[in-house]
Amino acid sequence: MDRSKRIMWQDDCYMDLQSTSCSASSQTETQSKKINLHWIQKHKDQLQSFASHSFLEEIVGHLRNLDILTSAEENNAMVKKHKEVLLQQYEKHRDRDSVSCPKLNISSRTLLLVDGLSDFQQKEHDLMQVGVTRGGRRNHLRQLGLAKLFEPLTRVSLPPRVTLTVGVAGIGKTTWVRHFIRQWCQGTICPDIHFVLPLTLCELNSLEKVSAERLLKMTFPHLQVPSLVLSNACRTLLILDGLDEFRSTLNFSDAAPCNDPKKEVSIDDLVTNVIRGNLLPDVAVWVTSRPGVASLIPGGLVDRVTEIPGFSPEDIQIFLNHHFSEKDFASRIWAHLESQKILMVMCYIPCICWMLAETLLYIMQSGRQESLPKTCTELYAHYCSMKAEVGEPRGREPVKSEQVHATNRKLLGNLGRLAFYSLLKHKYTFSEQDLRAYGIDILLTQSSLGAGVLIRRESNIHTTYRFTHLTLQEFLAATFYHVSSKRAIFDLFSESTMSWPKIGFQNHFRSAFQHSQQAEDGHLDLFVRFLTGLLCPTTIKPLAGLLALGKDDGSQKDWAAGFLQGLLSSVGSVVSLRAVNLAYCLQELQHTELLRSVEEDLRQGSLAGKLTRPHCVVLGYLLHASPECSEQTNLTGCLNYSTVKSLLPQLLYCTHLSMRKNTVGVGGAKKFAEALKTNRTLTKLM
């Protein structure tokens, strides 16, 4: 082989170095050699071991004569500048993204490689999803580190073009993205990627029509040649973070096709065409989203799906031990979580774990003789009370405490109204215009209460706000509904006053549950839990100075308990998660007689003959909320065909299930066998 003419790398990949055919007169050939130069840079180490040093010097000299190397050096300067800008932008988030314990930092954690999204992930509330996995390791799934996320899984496979990473709200999707960007900027991971272009989709909500190149110029004005960044001459990664915060509906079947990066199209068509591959086909795409919205992307367009795992019980304990350095706070909180399984489930989400730890620490350090929160409603009531008490608004003259309380009451009321009507619209990010429309003073978002409830995010395109966590939005929505329903004369689920008259708290309470039961995606489940919990006098005590609650003699709590038990008796033939949520509401109401009775019978194996409709619903609840009940579920002699059919969706969450001496019949056995094909939880069946 004549080394001066050709270097063979693969049968279909070579570069011709004959000077006679490399005339600089052709612009097309010059562009081709720029691409070849990137090939040389990518395989630099292999070339050095394959070719002699003198021969490589000849290559460099040849490229300099064609003025190609000068262009490459300019491109390298652009890459360096881009990394510096991104690192400066994302370095300020390092403290918030980092955990003091190395075991919990993202550097030591991995993603889970999954086959796709289950129906459960696509349709159910985030807390229901977390409750099912309970922070389990799911050892049957392959683990994938960030460094390997965009690499081929085997020697014969290709790198993924579209990678989808899913996780429930607060699990850390944006934190993972920011960590990846910092690591890439520092050259720690993915050095073969020339440009990383991070976009948060909530920023794009303010845009109507834009081209791919203009969007790049708006977001990254330091990139002087956008066409080069988006071409196949570079390996570029486009990050679309937070698909669930994108207000436009993605329509992959009817979106107008576009393959011209200079053409202006609607923002939803732009995102759709990028994911589909019509636009920027040579750019790799990383999408992050909550599972329900991620299911809008057709599976055939996604090359790789990963999931962010939450905290395990061991992780929660490690977090508490490192979060509290004084006294026995960590051990006291851990003991409390073990006794209150509902709070333990919430702590599988890192964001909520942090909120809970901060709140419980505040209660213990306050010196008050208060018991620690036992329900989710109590927890968030104390959290809002804590944020209101910490300080007063910044940027204004000092004011009297009465004025501060009045200001906080007004702010919390307006935030609650925003939270409620946005929740109905599945809207989770807000502009300054949205806040003003609900009477929220932008300056007050910097107060202790405002900053504790809302998170502000700035970018080159847009400034957006969102609640600290989705569950906090649902809680504030419930406080608004709770207060408003006592004086409203129209249906609160209609923001317009032109609706059917609806007078009295109990009518509004029934209306909330009707809407919740009709919501197939369960997005109102936690809202009605909080709404029920607010009827418990001990729960709303921390909010006494923040909400216009009026007097309550406990009669509404008793009425709500009877109402919920009536709903339990009227559930359908199959115990759905909407029905199970009714038992969660009883727990929030702290009306637990039925729950304790069924739990005791289950542990003693004495449920035979007692599985009425309400008992089946409560049993489904226990299989969700109590690891002890789901890990050792003894239903010996309890089941027949109708109860198996009714409980089947919930029995799939068991780990060890005993079904001896049951008369389920051939039909019941077949249904159970079919369900086991998709079950990844059950490990032992007797």
Side-chain angles (χ1 to χ4, degrees), residues 232-243:
N232 61 1
C234 302
R235 187 180 180 193
T236 300
L237 172 66
L238 176 65
I239 302 177
L240 301 176
D241 183 29
L243 186 65

Side-chain angles (χ1 to χ4, degrees), residues 128-167:
M128 286 289 192
Q129 297 180 37
V130 173
V132 168
T133 59
R134 299 189 187 92
R137 290 300 181 191
R138 292 188 284 174
N139 294 326
H140 64 282
L141 295 176
R142 177 172 176 175
Q143 298 184 1
L144 200 65
L146 267 181
K148 301 292 184 182
L149 184 58
F150 307 106
E151 298 301 321
L153 294 179
T154 65
R155 292 183 178 181
V156 295
S157 60
L158 297 172
R161 180 184 177 270
V162 177
T163 300
L164 175 64
T165 297
V166 298

Side-chain angles (χ1 to χ4, degrees), residues 25-52:
S25 60
S26 172
Q27 184 177 358
T28 304
E29 292 179 3
T30 303
Q31 178 65 25
S32 174
K33 290 175 177 57
K34 288 182 182 179
I35 298 172
N36 289 337
L37 177 65
H38 289 290
W39 182 86
I40 292 177
Q41 292 172 333
K42 181 177 179 181
H43 300 292
K44 178 177 62 177
D45 294 337
Q46 293 92 330
L47 282 170
Q48 287 175 342
S49 62
F50 177 82
S52 65

Side-chain angles (χ1 to χ4, degrees), residues 531-541 552 557 588-590:
L531 184 62
T532 308
L534 289 170
L535 295 178
C536 190
T538 57
T539 298
I540 62 175
K541 185 179 177 182
D552 188 359
K557 176 184 176 182
E588 289 296 320
L589 195 61
Q590 299 186 36

Side-chain angles (χ1 to χ4, degrees), residues 21-85:
S21 62
C22 292
S23 169
S25 60
S26 172
Q27 184 177 358
T28 304
E29 292 179 3
T30 303
Q31 178 65 25
S32 174
K33 290 175 177 57
K34 288 182 182 179
I35 298 172
N36 289 337
L37 177 65
H38 289 290
W39 182 86
I40 292 177
Q41 292 172 333
K42 181 177 179 181
H43 300 292
K44 178 177 62 177
D45 294 337
Q46 293 92 330
L47 282 170
Q48 287 175 342
S49 62
F50 177 82
S52 65
H53 181 72
S54 59
F55 181 61
L56 289 177
E57 285 185 345
E58 289 183 16
I59 294 177
V60 172
H62 179 71
L63 294 174
R64 284 191 187 280
N65 292 335
L66 297 176
D67 291 331
I68 297 176
L69 198 59
T70 303
S71 300
E73 290 168 347
E74 291 175 356
N75 294 341
N76 289 338
M78 188 163 60
V79 171
K80 183 179 179 182
K81 174 65 175 178
H82 182 58
K83 288 186 175 182
E84 290 174 352
V85 171

Side-chain angles (χ1 to χ4, degrees), residues 7 13 20 74 110 113 129 153 223 309 426 441 453 473 551 561 625 664 682:
I7 298 176
C13 181
T20 56
E74 291 175 356
T110 55
L113 186 66
Q129 297 180 37
L153 294 179
L223 294 179
H426 295 77
D441 186 343
V453 170
Q473 178 176 349
K551 294 183 179 180
V664 298
L682 189 64

Side-chain angles (χ1 to χ4, degrees), residues 259-272:
N259 55 14
D260 183 2
K262 298 181 183 296
K263 181 181 179 181
E264 293 205 351
V265 295
S266 64
I267 189 64
D268 53 327
D269 283 351
L270 178 75
V271 173
T272 302

Side-chain angles (χ1 to χ4, degrees), residues 270-287:
L270 178 75
V271 173
T272 302
N273 277 282
V274 167
I275 295 175
R276 186 175 283 282
N278 297 333
L279 195 59
L280 314 182
D282 300 307
V283 173
V285 182
W286 183 19
V287 182

